[in-house]
Amino acid sequence: MKIYVITLAVKFQKPHQRTGELTNFKQKFLLGQCCPDCNVQQDLSGKNISQCNGCVRACMMEKIHTIRANYPLWAKRIAEVQEGKAVLSIRQWSGTPYRSKQVEIRRLTAENGVGIQKMELTSDLSECMIEGRNYPYVSIANNDGLSAADWIDWFSTYDLFRPLAVIQFTNFRY
């Protein structure tokens, strides 16, 4: 079976304004799958956990998707995952990116709800167009585990003339 790797950043990388600070993407990703403190399953609404407000991480934004360049490549890969021919291996670096081992956080299959949606951004990054519908960037940022300011800074270097892939880790869709 094929394995496609998605590596989540441990720290913000250059040229982000918060370079070197922790992203907490691993914790946010795991929170998007299931509350690690009480095992409450997410309702997949794209909102912060509401069912377990007493938990340690209840106030943290979950990461229910990741956004990547090269939509055509990822569309092909996610189709293979949905057909049961491949899995997604969600990982993070154990140390310095590209100079350390990757540590697997979890493997995802079609049963986890893995999916893909095509996203285009406006030139000022204020809106995202996903499958013909407009969304304010703030809701996309929150579901990606980022604050609005961090999201703008993260995507300000992307080629805005090419569609991006929103790779969904759950059944949630825009």
Side-chain angles (χ1 to χ4, degrees), residues 2-172:
K2 291 182 184 176
I3 299 172
Y4 294 118
V5 175
I6 292 180
T7 308
L8 302 179
V10 175
K11 295 180 179 180
F12 289 98
Q13 301 297 311
K14 292 179 182 177
H16 197 280
Q17 63 187 356
R18 292 182 53 201
T19 298
E21 292 182 38
L22 295 175
T23 62
N24 295 311
F25 280 165
K26 176 183 176 182
Q27 294 80 7
K28 293 174 181 185
F29 165 77
L30 290 171
L31 188 58
Q33 298 294 302
C34 174
C35 178
D37 296 318
C38 65
N39 293 321
V40 170
Q41 293 293 319
Q42 288 288 47
D43 66 5
L44 308 177
S45 66
K47 298 177 184 170
N48 289 350
I49 278 186
S50 59
Q51 299 164 315
C52 54
N53 287 329
C55 293
V56 174
R57 298 177 193 120
C59 62
M60 184 183 286
M61 284 181 269
E62 67 261 20
K63 183 172 182 63
I64 60 173
H65 59 57
T66 189
I67 300 170
R68 302 292 159 132
N70 202 342
Y71 174 80
L73 173 70
W74 282 108
K76 180 180 176 247
R77 290 177 174 181
I78 299 303
E80 289 182 45
V81 172
Q82 291 172 327
E83 294 165 4
K85 298 176 183 175
V87 296
L88 280 183
S89 175
I90 310 301
R91 302 178 184 185
Q92 69 178 18
W93 299 101
S94 61
T96 304
Y98 305 102
R99 294 194 175 118
S100 62
K101 289 185 176 186
Q102 294 178 358
V103 178
E104 187 171 74
I105 300 168
R106 181 166 287 164
R107 284 191 181 192
L108 299 177
T109 66
E111 291 179 10
N112 298 102
V114 170
I116 188 166
Q117 294 181 286
K118 183 191 265 186
M119 180 175 81
E120 296 174 286
L121 300 171
T122 57
S123 60
D124 64 356
L125 301 176
S126 65
E127 285 192 311
C128 305
M129 288 144 306
I130 301 175
E131 297 182 356
R133 294 183 63 197
N134 288 0
Y135 295 89
Y137 77 96
V138 175
S139 61
I140 309 301
N142 289 340
N143 289 337
D144 205 43
L146 291 166
S147 70
D150 285 337
W151 194 87
I152 290 285
D153 199 16
W154 191 289
F155 288 97
S156 64
T157 60
Y158 272 67
D159 181 353
L160 301 179
F161 297 104
R162 294 179 184 239
L164 297 167
V166 179
I167 301 170
Q168 301 286 359
F169 298 141
T170 68
N171 291 317
F172 175 81

